[in-house]
Amino acid sequence: QLLDPRGPHVGAGGSPTYFAKRPLHVFPKHLERMGVPEEARARILTDGKLDVGRLLKYSHRWFAILGSLGICARAQINRFYDAELCAALYEAATGIETDVKTLGEKADRTWELLRGANLREGKGAQFDQAPEPWLRDALFKEYLSEEPLTPAAWREMIRCYWAEQGWDEKGVPPVEK
C-alpha cells in the first residue's frame, strides 16, 4: 500500500497468497502463473531470500491485469487464471493480438501513468516512505525471518521496487515510458 500511487486500499499490490513464512518453494509456480519473466523470477527469489520490493512490481502488474479483465483478485477466484489465459481473454475481448509479454507491458503503462500523474502533482519519492510509527513500533516484519523491518530495509525494498520498474533512483520513470 505504501507504493501504490492510488493510495492505500484493499487491492493495493499485495496478494491473498502472500502470508508470512509461506515456504519459498511455492513462489516459482505462483510467479510463473502471474506471467513474471524468468529473469525477473531469478531476481525475486535468490539465495534463499524473497525480494519483496521486486515482487511488488509484478503484483501490481497482476492486479492491473486482473482488474482490467474484471476478474476478482481474491485467491479463491484468481487461482483459476494465469497470464496466458488472461492474454487470450484480452485478445478475445479487444480483437488486439496479445501475448503475455505485451499484456504485462500494457499493465506496466498503467502504473507509469499513475506515477507520472502523482509526480506532476508533486507526490514523488518523499511520499514513498514508511510512516514513522511503522518504524518506531516495528509493525512490519521481514517476510521469512519475521525480524522487524529497519529503516534501511524499508529504503532497500523501495529502491528495489523502483529499479524493477525501470525508474531512476528518485522513483521517476524515464521520459520514454
Side-chain angles (χ1 to χ4, degrees):
Q1 298 201 12
L2 178 67
L3 295 174
D4 190 320
R6 301 168 299 174
H9 57 85
V10 70
S15 167
T17 61
Y18 308 150
F19 297 112
K21 297 276 202 165
R22 189 170 177 103
L24 289 182
H25 74 272
V26 302
F27 278 86
K29 182 179 177 184
H30 181 64
L31 296 173
E32 183 178 358
R33 186 173 68 83
M34 291 193 322
V36 176
E38 196 168 329
E39 70 277 1
R41 287 183 246 159
R43 291 189 299 272
I44 293 167
L45 295 169
T46 180
D47 299 326
K49 294 182 180 177
L50 176 68
D51 189 321
V52 175
R54 293 187 186 281
L55 170 62
L56 182 58
K57 177 222 169 77
Y58 301 98
S59 292
H60 278 165
R61 176 188 274 187
W62 184 234
F63 274 99
I65 290 168
L66 294 173
S68 72
L69 294 169
I71 299 169
C72 179
R74 290 180 181 256
Q76 304 92 314
I77 305 299
N78 83 51
R79 68 187 173 121
F80 297 109
Y81 295 85
D82 62 27
E84 291 283 344
L85 176 57
C86 289
L89 292 170
Y90 182 90
E91 186 172 325
T94 64
I96 300 169
E97 192 171 319
T98 305
D99 59 15
V100 171
K101 182 178 185 280
T102 303
L103 187 62
E105 290 166 352
K106 290 175 186 294
D108 290 346
R109 283 198 297 270
T110 301
W111 294 100
E112 289 151 1
L113 180 62
L114 289 167
R115 182 68 173 185
N118 281 353
L119 290 169
R120 182 192 66 212
E121 299 303 316
K123 307 287 191 237
Q126 73 275 24
F127 288 87
D128 290 351
Q129 306 303 318
E132 192 276 327
W134 291 9
L135 302 171
R136 181 190 66 233
D137 301 336
L139 296 176
F140 293 87
K141 301 185 181 346
E142 198 277 332
Y143 186 83
L144 293 171
S145 73
E146 293 193 25
E147 292 292 320
L149 286 174
T150 64
W154 278 103
R155 284 190 298 275
E156 180 62 11
M157 275 194 275
I158 293 165
R159 187 198 66 74
C160 287
Y161 174 76
W162 290 346
E164 198 67 28
Q165 288 284 21
W167 302 348
D168 73 14
E169 68 283 347
K170 293 183 181 179
V172 178
V175 173
E176 60 271 10
K177 286 190 169 215

